[in-house]
Amino acid sequence: MKEIAITEFENLKIGQAENVQAGTGCTVLLLGKEGAPAGLDVQGGGPASRESELLKPTAAAGGIHAILLSGGSAFGLDAAGGVMRYLEERNIGFDVGVTKVPLVCQSCLFDLTVADASTRPDAAMAYRACQNAEQGNYRDGNFGAGTGATVGKLLGMDYCMKSGIGSYAIQTGELKVGAIVAVNALGDIYDWQTGRKAAGLLAEDHKTFLDAEQVMLRKTEVVENKFVGNTTLGVILTNAAFDKTRLCKIAGMAHDGYARAIRPVHTTADGDSIYAVSLGTVAADQDVVGALGAQVMATAILRAVQAAKSAYGFPATCDL
């Protein structure tokens, strides 16, 4: 088993665009001219998403043409129109006779409290991300959907840390499995292999950590209106051949990677979502790919906070 770059998958182009001053951005995955089978598993309680119904096993669509991850909360859902325009101009989409309709799924994270709440990813930004995908400008850290990402927000933004977007991929024999994830979590981030905390809820000195899970568990009273300001968005990529039913299961197994690296996770204040995409024809066992998906996802989450830089007054792992 060896590490490979996240860009080493066929039928895939990744592009990013951001507004650094406003603290928001988007990351697009273009899935080839013919599209690709994809599944989705949402385990957080507050998702913002578009065209999710396409990925249910009972829906007619066998594949989609792009996935867009963005900031902006539900306002950011407007950005998918830019991806659709970009693909339609290139004659990519589902043929309806008079045109081709691109099938674009999108999930948004909440970054409105980071810098400028009135500036969100829009169609123009997403179109630019598609253009950037042609040259391949993907980078881990404070880019794309990770531009305004933060973690450790159980006690509010005054005690959180800067996060970002991260990736990790491996190859074993012919099989490739990788993950991209924009980490914008309520909880703390851990190195899943050592158990060491890498980022999260800060103490009063802003140099040491509190344990977000323990802080949460000490307060058992009912909170009716939790702040839904989080959401970790991930994509599992593989060159193994699966239909969307099996990919939905693989995406669900990859949530084990969230649980290994983020604590607490999957709360009502998170919109935690994972897509899984089949980009090739390699024969592989579904459970093996799901188990590898959990591993690469957990490592990609760690890479996201390790690659992040301090911004908007929030310290990053590299500062502590």
Side-chain angles (χ1 to χ4, degrees):
M1 190 177 297
K2 64 177 182 179
E3 181 178 353
I4 60 174
I6 198 66
T7 53
E8 291 185 44
F9 288 87
E10 296 181 357
N11 304 314
L12 173 69
K13 295 179 181 178
I14 309 170
Q16 302 195 115
E18 54 277 320
N19 184 322
V20 175
Q21 183 176 1
T24 195
C26 58
T27 301
V28 67
L29 290 80
L30 303 179
L31 306 178
K33 188 173 180 64
E34 302 303 321
L40 172 66
D41 191 276
V42 180
Q43 295 192 21
S49 58
R50 178 185 187 276
E51 293 280 41
S52 299
E53 291 289 325
L54 289 176
L55 303 184
K56 288 186 175 180
T58 52
I64 60 173
H65 302 97
I67 295 172
L68 181 64
L69 309 179
S70 83
S73 188
F75 294 111
L77 292 170
D78 287 344
V83 182
M84 292 192 69
R85 178 165 66 89
Y86 180 87
L87 294 174
E88 185 186 25
E89 289 173 354
R90 286 152 182 80
N91 201 36
I92 296 173
F94 180 74
D95 193 346
V96 295
V98 293
T99 188
K100 289 188 176 178
V101 180
L103 303 182
V104 180
C105 294
Q106 180 183 4
S107 291
C108 301
L109 56 80
F110 187 101
D111 54 11
L112 300 180
T113 54
V114 169
D116 179 7
S118 64
T119 300
R120 304 106 183 203
D122 58 12
M125 180 186 287
Y127 190 93
R128 189 165 71 250
C130 291
Q131 291 176 314
N132 291 338
E134 295 297 339
Q135 287 74 45
N137 76 331
Y138 178 80
R139 295 171 64 187
D140 289 349
N142 300 19
F143 304 99
T147 302
T150 50
V151 295
K153 290 168 280 188
L154 188 67
L155 298 180
M157 299 299 287
D158 291 339
Y159 299 94
C160 75
M161 290 181 64
K162 186 71 184 73
S163 180
I165 195 167
S167 63
Y168 182 68
I170 57 94
Q171 181 171 354
T172 175
E174 291 185 275
L175 176 65
K176 299 177 183 178
V177 182
I180 292 178
V181 59
V183 182
N184 192 59
L186 178 76
D188 299 332
I189 307 303
Y190 291 82
D191 182 332
W192 69 281
Q193 292 178 303
T194 67
R196 182 176 180 180
K197 187 181 294 185
L201 180 62
L202 293 170
E204 288 286 347
D205 62 8
H206 278 217
K207 296 179 182 179
T208 56
F209 293 121
L210 296 176
D211 187 315
E213 191 168 50
Q214 291 304 312
V215 170
M216 184 181 76
L217 294 178
R218 285 198 294 267
K219 299 179 179 181
T220 59
E221 64 271 15
V222 176
V223 180
E224 296 291 351
N225 187 25
K226 288 184 179 178
F227 174 60
V228 185
N230 308 289
T231 298
T232 296
L233 306 175
V235 183
I236 293 294
L237 303 166
T238 182
N239 65 345
F242 297 110
D243 61 18
K244 64 179 176 179
T245 301
R246 289 173 173 79
L247 289 165
C248 285
K249 178 59 177 176
I250 289 168
M253 292 180 70
H255 273 283
D256 291 351
Y258 278 19
R260 292 170 187 170
I262 305 171
R263 296 200 299 268
V265 71
H266 300 143
T267 72
T268 58
D270 291 289
D272 299 328
S273 305
I274 297 179
Y275 296 88
V277 183
S278 175
L279 296 166
T281 59
V282 173
D285 185 85
Q286 171 184 326
D287 294 328
V288 171
V289 175
L292 288 173
Q295 289 191 8
V296 297
M297 183 60 74
T299 301
I301 290 169
L302 180 62
R303 294 274 179 95
V305 297
Q306 290 175 333
K309 304 298 182 185
S310 299
Y312 315 110
F314 305 120
T317 295
C318 61
D319 299 316
L320 300 183

